[in-house]
Amino acid sequence: MARIKRQKQTMEEKLNTLRAGVLGSNDGILTVVGVLVSVAAATSNRFTIFIAGLSDLLACAFSMACGEYASVSTQRDTEESAVAKEERLLKTDFASELAAVQQYYVNKGVTPETSMAIAKDLLNKKPLQTMVRIKYDIELGHFLSPWDAAWSSLFSAAAGGIFPLMAMTFAPDALKWYAVILAVVLTSALTGFISSKLGNGLVKVAVMRNIIIALITVAIHYGVGKLF
């Protein structure tokens, strides 16, 4: 397959990177606070709590990054395979490709004669671009980047986990639990707000859902820490 030059990012590509960041941040918050609360409920040694939280933060960040890289790489491989297939069909079975484009416009309500004229014109000017857009909704040069998703997830997961970690580490003993809960509530509310905007969902519902899940996570891990 001929090498396709990567073009300026589309809104979909930017949103995919941002989505990976939001997911990474939310996961960083919940996993780090879960470990922090469990350990803090079992011991008052600040160094032990800090090392446990930091270790989990790093593990979570790299795990999320690797997961995003693998996931988006698979999607990208599938897209590139589809492009290669259409490139081959344009050379070996042009008639069926032409018919597919014609049928695409017929299904949209265009007359068969006009659809054929449109198909011939498009395949004459931009054959490969036309086929992958019509059949797979792929834009040439705009494959999702696994590296963008991985870096976004890595840094956002670390950023999400750093707030409860710092609250638990540096807040006075009498206030550390309040500080951790406040950090978790604020960061969870922020990720809920961003995710609702990305998905055109209800802001209040997303924010409250994230906060409730975070508080349940704190309660469960606190109970586990006390148990052991």
Side-chain angles (χ1 to χ4, degrees), residues 72-92:
V72 177
S73 291
T74 300
Q75 182 177 347
R76 185 187 178 107
D77 291 343
T78 302
E79 292 174 345
E80 290 180 342
S81 176
V83 172
K85 176 183 177 181
E86 292 307 313
E87 192 173 38
R88 183 173 64 255
L89 287 174
L90 284 168
K91 296 177 181 178
T92 60

Side-chain angles (χ1 to χ4, degrees), residues 149-183:
W151 285 116
S152 175
S153 189
L154 175 71
F155 288 115
S156 62
I162 199 71
F163 291 105
L165 178 61
M166 293 298 100
M168 180 66 79
T169 302
F170 296 111
D173 284 336
L175 299 175
K176 68 179 182 180
W177 288 108
Y178 299 104
V180 169
I181 291 174
L182 178 61

Side-chain angles (χ1 to χ4, degrees), residues 42-66:
T43 179
S44 59
N45 188 297
R46 289 219 174 206
F47 183 72
T48 300
I49 297 170
F50 174 76
I51 291 299
L54 179 61
S55 298
D56 184 71
L57 184 150
L58 294 174
C60 173
F62 281 100
S63 174
M64 288 294 296
C66 291

Side-chain angles (χ1 to χ4, degrees), residues 7-219:
Q7 301 175 19
K8 185 178 179 181
Q9 282 193 327
T10 61
M11 181 59 68
E12 181 183 358
E13 291 172 294
K14 293 177 180 178
L15 288 176
N16 181 70
T17 301
L18 186 56
R19 174 200 59 79
V22 172
L23 290 176
S25 180
N26 200 54
D27 198 66
I29 295 166
L30 296 181
T31 56
V32 171
V33 77
V35 170
L36 284 174
V37 170
S38 296
V39 177
T43 179
S44 59
N45 188 297
R46 289 219 174 206
F47 183 72
T48 300
I49 297 170
F50 174 76
I51 291 299
L54 179 61
S55 298
D56 184 71
L57 184 150
L58 294 174
C60 173
F62 281 100
S63 174
M64 288 294 296
C66 291
E68 282 292 337
Y69 182 85
S71 176
V72 177
S73 291
T74 300
Q75 182 177 347
R76 185 187 178 107
D77 291 343
T78 302
E79 292 174 345
E80 290 180 342
S81 176
V83 172
K85 176 183 177 181
E86 292 307 313
E87 192 173 38
R88 183 173 64 255
L89 287 174
L90 284 168
K91 296 177 181 178
T92 60
D93 195 5
F94 186 83
S96 66
E97 297 289 83
L98 181 64
V101 179
Q102 180 193 24
Q103 189 60 45
Y104 173 83
Y105 285 100
V106 168
N107 292 340
K108 287 185 172 294
V110 182
T111 64
E113 295 77 13
T114 304
S115 295
M116 178 57 74
I118 294 173
K120 288 180 178 179
D121 185 58
L122 288 174
L123 292 186
N124 181 55
K125 295 177 179 178
K126 297 179 179 180
L128 185 58
Q129 181 177 339
T130 298
M131 294 312 306
V132 297
R133 178 177 56 82
I134 286 176
K135 284 189 174 183
Y136 306 101
D137 196 25
I138 296 173
E139 293 294 333
L140 288 183
H142 293 292
F143 300 120
L144 298 178
S145 170
W147 284 109
D148 287 349
W151 285 116
S152 175
S153 189
L154 175 71
F155 288 115
S156 62
I162 199 71
F163 291 105
L165 178 61
M166 293 298 100
M168 180 66 79
T169 302
F170 296 111
D173 284 336
L175 299 175
K176 68 179 182 180
W177 288 108
Y178 299 104
V180 169
I181 291 174
L182 178 61
V184 170
V185 168
L186 291 178
T187 51
S188 297
L190 179 59
T191 57
F193 175 80
I194 296 174
S195 64
S196 68
K197 289 297 184 180
L198 290 177
N200 294 319
L202 298 175
V203 174
K204 290 184 179 179
V205 172
V207 169
M208 290 304 299
R209 180 173 58 232
N210 269 24
I211 291 175
I212 291 171
I213 291 173
L215 293 178
I216 291 174
T217 300
V218 171

